[in-house]
Amino acid sequence: MDWKSNAFDWNQARAFLATVEEGSLSAAARALNLTQPTLGRQVAALEAQLNVVLFERVGRSLSLTPSGIELLDHVRIMSEAANRISLTASGQSQTIEGQVRISASDIMSAYMLPTAIKELRQVAPLVEIDVVATNEISNLQLREADIAIRHIRPEQPDLIAKLVNEASAHFYASKSYLDLRGRPKTIADMAAHDFISFGDNDRMIELLNPYGLGLAPKNFRLGSVNGFVSWKMAQNDLGIIVMSDDVAANTPGMERVLPDMEAMVFPIWLTAHRELHTSRRIRLVYDHLAKFLARAFG
């Protein structure tokens, strides 16, 4: 090992990673409890040490350069290793205990979170997980949950938000329904079919008709504010529904309608209160979910 040349400063790398994940120098400084000038100097020092430019300004925003993009994956691996070292050295992963409430949609709670929780149990068996399955946005500031998985970025300044992935969705129906009613060949054919809504028919029409479907209230005679119930309706041959491709792929008997249609893409944000930085158990669960969701879709 050439120890003299291996002088990489983790604090500088951490400042770079925080800037990427928080979206700005000011937000990264707050997350790391540093002043913005201090954090800026750390990023600049990393650029000087590596002799590369990591960020460029685009208007009022920062954008990664090709060198920054190339470095990012390596720094994320370093961050995960640093977290593992910290947990291993102190025995935290096995001794951290207490409840953590996770808020997610009913579909996410039923189809995705059980696998994440099963993995978490192996790392932190004493942590108690309470899943708040709701399609409403839980108020983290009122402590309705500790961590939330959302499809929109929160705007509250006391919350931390991390874009961990994007998921895709298409139209699906049971094979039995399509055998009976026929398989649409074009977008225009969709208007002759029954659709299942997620509660608000007018909102569903508003979201779907820009894709050229030409739907009207008569298409939505069935639905529920509970996504799990709506999905079960579709499985029981009652109509066409919009669903995440990952959920549909693991549901026997469901078939994608218009398989060549462009996917509907929606973001997955992992959100927590800023107490994340002072609560070991919340941090542990948050980091585990971030890694799980980053690889769970697609």
Side-chain angles (χ1 to χ4, degrees), residues 191-226:
H193 283 266
D194 296 327
F195 281 75
I196 300 169
S197 76
F198 291 103
D200 188 331
N201 292 349
D202 291 338
R203 180 61 175 158
M204 292 290 293
I205 292 170
E206 180 184 342
L207 291 172
L208 296 179
N209 274 350
Y211 292 91
L213 276 73
L215 301 177
K218 65 180 181 180
N219 296 104
F220 291 92
R221 301 193 187 277
L222 296 173
S224 171
V225 293
N226 185 302

Side-chain angles (χ1 to χ4, degrees), residues 12 46 69 74 101 108 134 140 147 151 219 249 277 294:
Q12 296 172 3
L46 180 62
I69 293 172
H74 299 293
R101 305 188 78 198
M108 175 77 73
T134 176
L140 301 188
I147 299 171
H151 299 310
N219 296 104
H277 294 298

Side-chain angles (χ1 to χ4, degrees), residues 146-175:
D146 300 302
I147 299 171
I149 302 171
R150 299 178 174 175
H151 299 310
I152 57 174
R153 182 173 187 170
E155 300 296 333
Q156 299 93 326
D158 290 337
L159 300 184
I160 296 169
K162 181 177 183 180
L163 180 63
V164 292
N165 211 329
E166 289 184 332
S168 62
H170 283 86
F171 292 103
Y172 288 90
S174 69
K175 293 180 180 179

Side-chain angles (χ1 to χ4, degrees), residues 18-247:
T19 302
V20 174
E21 295 191 344
E22 298 294 332
S24 69
L25 291 171
S26 58
R30 288 193 299 270
L32 296 179
N33 198 26
L34 300 172
T35 65
Q36 184 172 333
T38 297
L39 184 128
R41 286 193 295 271
Q42 290 181 345
V43 174
L46 180 62
E47 291 179 319
Q49 181 181 349
L50 299 178
N51 195 29
V52 295
V53 176
L54 299 173
F55 295 103
E56 60 183 1
R57 286 207 169 272
V58 180
R60 300 179 63 181
S61 302
L62 291 176
S63 177
L64 281 171
T65 64
S67 296
I69 293 172
E70 184 176 355
L71 181 66
L72 181 59
D73 286 341
H74 299 293
V75 174
R76 280 184 170 146
I77 292 172
M78 290 178 63
S79 177
E80 292 173 5
N83 288 336
R84 288 195 298 270
I85 290 170
S86 177
L87 290 172
T88 301
S90 61
Q92 289 179 7
S93 62
Q94 294 296 317
T95 61
I96 291 178
E97 56 185 298
Q99 186 183 79
V100 178
R101 305 188 78 198
I102 304 170
S103 173
S105 71
D106 42 30
I107 292 291
M108 175 77 73
S109 298
Y111 284 93
M112 307 300 291
L113 281 186
T115 302
I117 293 170
K118 182 178 180 181
E119 294 178 0
L120 178 64
R121 294 282 294 163
Q122 298 174 3
V123 177
L126 299 182
V127 172
E128 303 168 17
I129 300 297
D130 179 22
V131 176
V132 183
T134 176
N135 294 323
E136 300 293 328
I137 295 179
S138 296
N139 192 326
L140 301 188
Q141 293 174 308
L142 296 180
R143 308 320 302 266
E144 293 176 349
D146 300 302
I147 299 171
I149 302 171
R150 299 178 174 175
H151 299 310
I152 57 174
R153 182 173 187 170
E155 300 296 333
Q156 299 93 326
D158 290 337
L159 300 184
I160 296 169
K162 181 177 183 180
L163 180 63
V164 292
N165 211 329
E166 289 184 332
S168 62
H170 283 86
F171 292 103
Y172 288 90
S174 69
K175 293 180 180 179
S176 299
Y177 171 87
L178 294 172
D179 288 343
L180 178 65
R181 297 288 299 274
R183 288 166 173 78
K185 299 290 192 301
T186 66
I187 290 287
D189 293 342
M190 298 281 274
H193 283 266
D194 296 327
F195 281 75
I196 300 169
S197 76
F198 291 103
D200 188 331
N201 292 349
D202 291 338
R203 180 61 175 158
M204 292 290 293
I205 292 170
E206 180 184 342
L207 291 172
L208 296 179
N209 274 350
Y211 292 91
L213 276 73
L215 301 177
K218 65 180 181 180
N219 296 104
F220 291 92
R221 301 193 187 277
L222 296 173
S224 171
V225 293
N226 185 302
F228 192 72
V229 171
S230 293
W231 185 231
K232 282 296 183 181
M233 288 182 181
Q235 290 175 256
N236 281 276
D237 315 329
L238 293 175
I240 296 173
I241 192 170
V242 177
M243 182 50 63
S244 163
D245 293 329
D246 295 274
V247 171

